[in-house]
Amino acid sequence: MRVKGKTRRLMSWGLCAAALTAALATPAAAATPWEHHRPGERPAWTLTDTGTDARFRGLAAVSRRTAWVAGTGGTVLRTSDGGRHWRDVSPPGAAREALEFRDIEAFDGRRAVALAIGEGEASRVFRTDDGGATWTESFRNTDARAFYDCLTFFDSRHGLAMSDPVDGKYRILSTSDGGRNWRVLPSAGMPEARPGEAGFAASGQCLVSSGPRDVWLATGGAASARVLHSADRGLTWTATESTIPAGDPARGVFGLAFRDRHHGIAVGGDYRAGEPSPNAAAVTGDAGRSWQQATTPPTAYRSGVAWLPHSRSGALAVGPTGTDLTTDGGRTWRTVDTGSYDTVDCTPDGGCWAAGEKGRVAHAGQRPAR
């Protein structure tokens, strides 16, 4: 999102640690220690030592053992032992050019696609097939009007990336070969953007997908914050008002998470420190055709959100002032940790990861055996 000729991109992701109830039952094969927390016990993230002070707004959790983070200074790290050790796998030259990585999507411990954001040629996509030992730059934006914010993948081949509006409409990139090649989709099926409207490259969650074809795009900055939905991999879109306040370049929907094609959570607010963020969460049960305000929302701005593994009603939201937990599908939230995180992601085997400023990456869930 551009603000008065300057570029603003924000925030990060957060992690999981909470007293799960029977309503959050996880299959034994993916059991987590959260469900064993006693009522009233305070859950907490376990910080890992990344060896850097980069701010990580990009996070791709593969399993309890394996995760990727991407952030400032062209930094990309990977762990394969549950965060005990992190390997610097940054693309060559990314640090020298001070690329701003804001999103990363990983298919496993070897294959990942990372997005660097910014105006013009600062927006780039990189892909690795060997755990970050080598990278290929598969897309470089040559349109000075475009500013790419987020990536998402439907499967290991089909994915999209989105840019802030160009000629009055959001621009969508598409790949059908795992991010090796990209093409700009036609804009005929995209609604007109509103004056001042854009996405937030805050947590890699302004563009998210669920299933083989459904994708959602979060907006802010205009008079109201909207969520756009496509059921055909980005060819045609419908726009719906959210209940999260906007009306300012710093306010809107910052992060989305869908546990299936119908049930989703939106989080956001005002990213400026000290500014109030009322009604900072909303839920949908109809694929985003309508949104309902959370009855007890997080008490502050939140940039990242993730459903707990195998749960129909548990989710985590994170932001610079803490982590919140819901056990009723996003209707009510309570703060469970006060650490600063920008983004959060959970895995099918019961692990959750969070990442944020000053090299902070945390893990919640059973630690893998040595």
Side-chain angles (χ1 to χ4, degrees):
M1 174 175 289
R2 300 171 184 79
V3 181
K4 296 182 179 178
K6 297 182 179 179
T7 304
R8 289 193 181 180
R9 285 295 183 281
L10 299 213
M11 310 343 157
S12 40
W13 295 11
L15 264 213
C16 344
L20 296 188
T21 65
L24 305 180
T26 301
T32 77
W34 305 320
E35 56 209 333
H36 304 304
H37 278 286
R38 294 184 297 273
E41 186 177 18
R42 178 185 175 86
W45 294 111
T46 299
L47 281 168
T48 68
D49 183 6
T50 62
T52 179
D53 62 358
R55 186 166 194 167
F56 295 117
R57 303 181 193 272
L59 168 66
V62 176
S63 68
R64 291 177 181 177
R65 297 186 65 90
T66 302
W68 303 67
V69 290
T72 56
T75 307
V76 179
L77 306 182
R78 178 177 59 85
T79 183
S80 58
D81 59 7
R84 290 189 179 89
H85 304 91
W86 289 90
R87 181 181 177 186
D88 187 338
V89 295
S90 307
R96 182 179 65 254
E97 296 190 63
L99 295 183
E100 286 278 339
F101 287 112
R102 295 296 181 90
D103 200 354
I104 186 166
E105 303 291 327
F107 310 119
D108 50 41
R110 297 186 61 80
R111 299 175 297 161
V113 180
L115 172 70
I117 62 97
E119 294 177 338
E121 293 193 3
S123 285
R124 306 178 195 179
V125 178
F126 295 82
R127 178 189 164 95
T128 182
D129 289 299
D130 54 14
T134 61
W135 293 85
T136 300
E137 182 182 308
S138 59
F139 172 77
R140 182 180 297 204
N141 174 45
T142 57
D143 189 335
R145 302 168 299 170
F147 189 125
Y148 285 85
D149 298 291
C150 290
L151 287 168
T152 192
F153 276 83
F154 303 96
D155 52 43
S156 62
R157 294 184 58 81
H158 300 91
L160 302 177
M162 60 81 68
S163 163
D164 286 342
V166 176
D167 293 331
K169 294 185 177 183
Y170 290 96
R171 177 169 288 179
I172 304 296
L173 282 181
S174 175
T175 180
S176 59
D177 58 8
R180 295 177 180 86
N181 296 280
W182 298 85
R183 67 184 181 95
V184 176
L185 292 182
S187 63
M190 175 67 71
E192 293 285 339
R194 292 176 173 176
E197 190 179 42
F200 293 101
S203 60
Q205 295 179 330
C206 60
L207 185 73
V208 302
S209 56
S210 180
R213 306 190 69 82
D214 287 273
V215 58
W216 294 264
L217 188 161
T219 81
S224 61
R226 300 191 296 172
V227 177
L228 281 63
H229 172 232
S230 170
D232 55 12
R233 292 183 181 165
L235 293 176
T236 60
W237 299 78
T238 57
T240 302
E241 304 283 339
S242 79
T243 64
I244 296 176
D248 184 277
R251 295 200 294 262
V253 179
F254 281 73
L256 298 167
F258 278 76
R259 65 173 173 83
D260 54 40
R261 72 178 307 269
H262 299 290
H263 298 89
I265 297 174
V267 298
D270 190 320
Y271 70 71
R272 295 171 296 191
E275 292 296 318
S277 292
N279 306 327
V283 299
T284 181
D286 58 10
R289 287 189 292 272
S290 63
W291 291 87
Q292 293 76 47
Q293 177 184 320
T295 55
T296 305
T299 59
Y301 157 80
R302 295 292 180 255
S303 54
V305 60
W307 290 91
L308 293 177
H310 307 286
S311 174
R312 297 179 62 82
S313 55
L316 294 163
V318 300
T321 63
T323 299
D324 297 290
L325 168 73
T326 179
T327 58
D328 57 11
R331 294 172 181 80
T332 63
W333 297 82
R334 64 183 178 91
T335 301
V336 295
D337 187 88
T338 57
S340 175
Y341 299 102
D342 293 317
T343 189
V344 60
D345 197 12
C346 296
T347 64
D349 65 350
C352 286
W353 297 81
E357 63 180 345
K358 299 178 181 178
R360 289 170 60 89
V361 181
H363 179 277
Q366 181 176 320
R367 297 283 287 187
R370 290 182 180 274

